[in-house]
Amino acid sequence: MNDCLFCSIVSGEIPASVRAETENVLAFDDVNPVAPTHVLVIPKRHIESAAQIERADDELLGELFGVAAGIGMEINGGWRLVSNVGENAGQSVFHLHFHVLGGRTMNWPPG
Ligand code: AMP
């Protein structure tokens, strides 16, 4: 999709520190980390947010969660998986992404 930051990372137009890659999924460090480990896991195909996931994406979701869990399981002490949907939740990039966060104690409820 034109003018999508994460599509530009997928195409290599914008550089990123890639942590994992599969056929349909890319994982890279968040440029503004809020935890010692802060990795974003995205589908290579443009999907706006978790609200746009369809049943036809079941396999893709499995791939996304597999990559996220692979990163999370390397973090000692546990990890958090977050996807912000919409402006009230703090979504700032409208290309589906899961934040894998870990390496520090997390608060609940989140702010
Ligand atoms: P969200 O606010 O949930 O939509 O998350 C978007 C995330 O993308 C934020 O945590 C940003 O720090 C991160 N981000 C923005 N630009 C880049 C970039 N060029 N490379 C890596 N992460 C980015």
Side-chain angles (χ1 to χ4, degrees):
M1 196 201 196
N2 291 338
D3 295 336
C4 170
L5 176 63
F6 287 175
C7 286
S8 298
I9 287 177
V10 170
S11 71
E13 211 176 308
I14 291 177
S17 176
V18 172
R19 293 289 160 206
E21 182 169 10
T22 61
E23 189 185 348
N24 301 300
V25 171
L26 190 67
F28 53 90
D29 286 331
D30 195 296
V31 79
N32 184 25
V34 298
T37 297
H38 187 171
V39 176
L40 301 174
V41 181
I42 71 167
K44 291 180 180 176
R45 173 163 62 86
H46 187 87
I47 297 175
E48 192 175 308
S49 78
Q52 277 73 38
I53 294 170
E54 296 174 354
R55 288 311 303 261
D57 300 318
D58 283 1
E59 209 170 311
L60 174 62
L61 263 191
E63 203 172 317
L64 283 163
F65 275 79
V67 171
I71 291 161
M73 295 312 284
E74 289 183 3
I75 304 169
N76 288 327
W79 49 288
R80 184 173 285 176
L81 189 62
V82 176
S83 190
N84 298 316
V85 180
E87 284 169 19
N88 277 357
Q91 184 176 6
S92 60
V93 178
F94 289 83
H95 180 128
L96 174 64
H97 53 281
F98 293 93
H99 299 254
V100 180
L101 299 159
R104 66 166 170 82
T105 304
M106 307 272 168
N107 297 321
W108 193 264

